[in-house]
């Protein structure tokens, strides 16, 4: 069952934007800046405080190069294998972007091979870095860079053990679920249940190891991983249900008639007192003409201390609202819902609305009915074609 609606804006595929087989993702600039500051200001000076400034600068540049190469190398290897399996998505070198490792359109065998290869690369790099660190002088730049490379590649390789969205372990889990012949509408939920079932052992295991080594940081690490697995799998389930629901409906099929009205000079408190539902969208009018609309988000954000606040002060002006056609794909509603909490739909009988909370309820009901009506499929063996 979907816990709540997960509304996300999905960017168009890079192929539709005229991109090539390799592209930079989004959202990587600030993390990269943070890593650069940490390496230059803390890691390198802390590793060899007596080194000259120019030596520390060279070490910092080398360390950043190794970090970038470690991330890019793994993504290149995985991307080449996936593209050889039929994917037309670009290989995203840094940041976020299309991830064909999660796509059921790519054969499970190909995705499993990509995940395994993506683990072997950092493992080999970590072993090489460990050898270099063992022979390099403790106060040398080579030792600083090799030690950092060992840690970075070790963390990248360990990601396959974390079955949470955003980690290779989630892609591995989805590939195994697909190989088991799971129905497309059940694959993410089944993977989420498996991921959540291993979250508790991770917490217990980290507690036992922490007690053995008397290291409280391991307990903290276990709590963080357990939290990521549990919340991430829930979010992935909700997002999957949302995407499937929107793909199967048009805007008019999920909209409700806009039947609540308020005058522009009516106090907001009076409007709240007479509303019958918690997801109503209200048309604000003056002299029979519509000025705008008020949804739950606007009512929640009102100034409680302002007793004389009018509906015209709290509304979203009609000029700021984009009306969606009833035959448009339901996914066209998302930009307006993200912006205002609701969207207005042109209906033959008048205006209709789609509100975020109510849409989430429709999705949960749709998922529940689909589970009840779907035939139980017979168990199948692994299919690694």
């Amino acid at each position: 069952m979907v816990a709540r609606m997960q509304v996300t804006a999905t960017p168009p595929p890079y192929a539709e934007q005229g991109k090539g087989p390799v592209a930079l993702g989004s959202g990587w600039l600030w993390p990269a800046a943070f890593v650069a500051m940490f390496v230059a200001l803390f890691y390198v000076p802390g590793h060899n405080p007596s080194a000259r400034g120019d030596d520390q600068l060279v070490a910092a540049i080398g360390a950043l190069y190794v970090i970038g190469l470690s991330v890019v190398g793994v993504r290149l290897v995985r991307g080449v294998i996936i593209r050889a399996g039929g994917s037309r998505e670009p290989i995203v070198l840094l940041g976020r972007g299309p991830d064909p490792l999660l796509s059921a359109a790519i054969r499970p065998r190909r995705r499993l091979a990509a995940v395994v290869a993506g683990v072997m690369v950092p493992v080999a790099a970590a072993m090489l870095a460990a050898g270099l660190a063992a022979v390099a002088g403790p106060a040398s730049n080579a030792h600083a860079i090799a030690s950092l490379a060992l840690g970075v590649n070790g963390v990248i390789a360990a990601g396959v053990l974390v079955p949470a969205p955003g980690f290779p372990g989630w892609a591995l889990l989805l590939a195994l679920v697909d190989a088991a012949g799971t129905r497309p509408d059940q694959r993410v939920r089944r993977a989420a249940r498996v991921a959540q079932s291993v979250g508790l052992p991770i917490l217990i295991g980290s507690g036992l190891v922490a007690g053995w080594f008397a290291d409280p940081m391991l307990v903290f690490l276990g709590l963080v991983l357990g939290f990521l697995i549990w919340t991430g799998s829930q979010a992935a389930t909700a997002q999957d249900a949302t995407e499937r629901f929107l793909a199967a409906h048009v805007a008019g099929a999920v909209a409700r008639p806009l039947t609540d009205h308020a005058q522009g000079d009516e106090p907001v408190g009076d409007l709240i007192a007479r509303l019958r539902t918690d997801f109503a969208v209200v048309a604000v009018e003056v002299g029979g003409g519509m000025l705008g609309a008020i949804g739950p988000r606007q009512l929640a954000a009102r100034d409680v201390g302002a007793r004389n606040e009018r509906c015209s002060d709290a509304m979203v002006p009609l000029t700021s609202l984009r009306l969606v056609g009833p035959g448009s794909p339901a996914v066209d509603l998302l930009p307006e819902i993200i912006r205002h909490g609701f969207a207005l739909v042109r209906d033959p009988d008048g205006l209709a609305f789609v509100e975020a909370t109510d849409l989430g309820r429709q999705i949960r009901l749709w998922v529940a009915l689909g589970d009840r009506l779907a035939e139980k499929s017979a168990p199948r063996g692994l299919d690694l074609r």
Side-chain angles (χ1 to χ4, degrees):
M1 182 68 66
V2 181
R4 64 178 183 274
M5 176 184 176
Q6 183 79 4
V7 178
T8 58
T10 303
Y14 281 93
E16 298 179 4
Q17 301 179 32
K19 300 292 184 179
V22 178
L24 288 176
S26 61
W28 61 271
L29 188 58
W30 284 110
F34 174 80
V35 171
M37 291 180 59
F38 172 78
V39 170
L41 300 180
F42 297 98
Y43 175 76
V44 171
H47 192 87
N48 187 9
S50 60
R52 297 184 307 176
D54 54 348
D55 287 339
Q56 291 187 354
L57 178 61
V58 170
I61 294 174
L64 293 175
Y65 176 78
V66 166
I67 294 174
L69 188 63
S70 299
V71 175
V72 170
V74 171
R75 294 195 172 192
L76 274 175
V77 169
R78 291 195 308 225
V80 167
I81 295 176
I82 288 295
R83 286 184 66 86
S87 172
R88 292 297 175 265
E89 298 287 1
I91 302 173
V92 181
L93 300 181
L94 295 172
R96 301 185 300 271
D99 192 356
L101 273 177
L102 308 178
S103 173
I106 306 298
R107 291 179 176 179
R109 178 178 62 183
R110 180 69 60 172
R111 287 184 281 144
L112 288 171
V115 173
V116 172
V119 173
M120 297 304 296
V121 170
V123 167
M127 295 175 62
L128 177 61
L132 292 176
V135 299
S140 64
N141 289 345
H143 187 274
I145 296 173
S147 299
L148 186 62
L150 173 61
V152 169
N153 284 278
V155 170
I156 293 175
V160 76
L161 302 177
V162 183
F167 292 86
W170 180 251
L172 175 64
L173 187 55
L174 274 179
L176 292 174
V177 167
D178 290 336
T182 305
R183 292 202 328 255
D185 62 325
Q186 295 287 332
R187 59 190 296 266
V188 175
R189 280 198 289 169
R190 180 167 295 182
R193 286 195 294 266
V194 175
Q196 292 171 2
S197 68
V198 303
L200 183 59
I202 288 179
L203 291 176
I204 296 176
S206 63
L208 293 176
V209 173
W212 180 267
F213 290 101
D215 187 354
M217 284 302 297
L218 291 177
V219 176
F220 175 75
L221 178 61
L223 290 173
V224 171
L225 290 178
F227 176 80
L228 288 176
I229 292 171
W230 189 266
T231 58
S233 58
Q234 283 187 325
T237 302
Q239 181 171 346
D240 174 70
T242 301
E243 291 174 351
R244 290 189 292 108
F245 179 88
L246 295 177
H249 292 80
V250 295
V254 299
R256 300 185 183 276
L258 186 61
T259 57
D260 291 301
H261 303 269
Q263 293 299 310
D265 57 356
E266 180 180 357
V268 175
D270 294 350
L271 172 63
I272 294 175
R274 64 182 176 84
L275 288 178
R276 294 166 294 178
T277 64
D278 58 351
F279 60 84
V281 174
V282 181
V284 180
E285 303 172 341
V286 169
M290 184 172 174
L291 296 178
I294 298 178
R297 182 185 297 179
Q298 288 73 44
L299 294 179
R302 75 188 193 282
D303 186 0
V304 180
R307 298 181 179 180
N308 298 324
E309 185 178 14
R310 302 172 301 172
C311 290
S312 58
D313 299 325
M315 71 178 185
V316 179
L318 191 60
T319 54
S320 300
L321 295 169
R322 184 180 69 88
L323 301 184
V324 180
S328 301
V331 71
D332 291 348
L333 298 166
L334 284 186
E336 287 295 288
I337 292 178
I338 293 172
R339 190 178 300 116
H340 305 299
F342 65 89
L344 295 184
V345 178
R346 291 190 304 269
D347 190 80
D349 299 326
L351 287 179
F353 71 91
V354 180
E355 194 272 330
T357 302
D358 181 55
L359 183 58
R361 292 172 180 171
Q362 293 187 53
I363 294 173
R364 292 194 294 270
L365 179 60
W366 179 74
V367 171
L369 291 177
D371 292 342
R372 186 172 301 176
L373 297 176
E375 296 180 359
K376 294 183 178 180
S377 57
R380 286 181 270 179
L382 289 177
D383 178 12
L384 299 179
R385 293 180 297 169

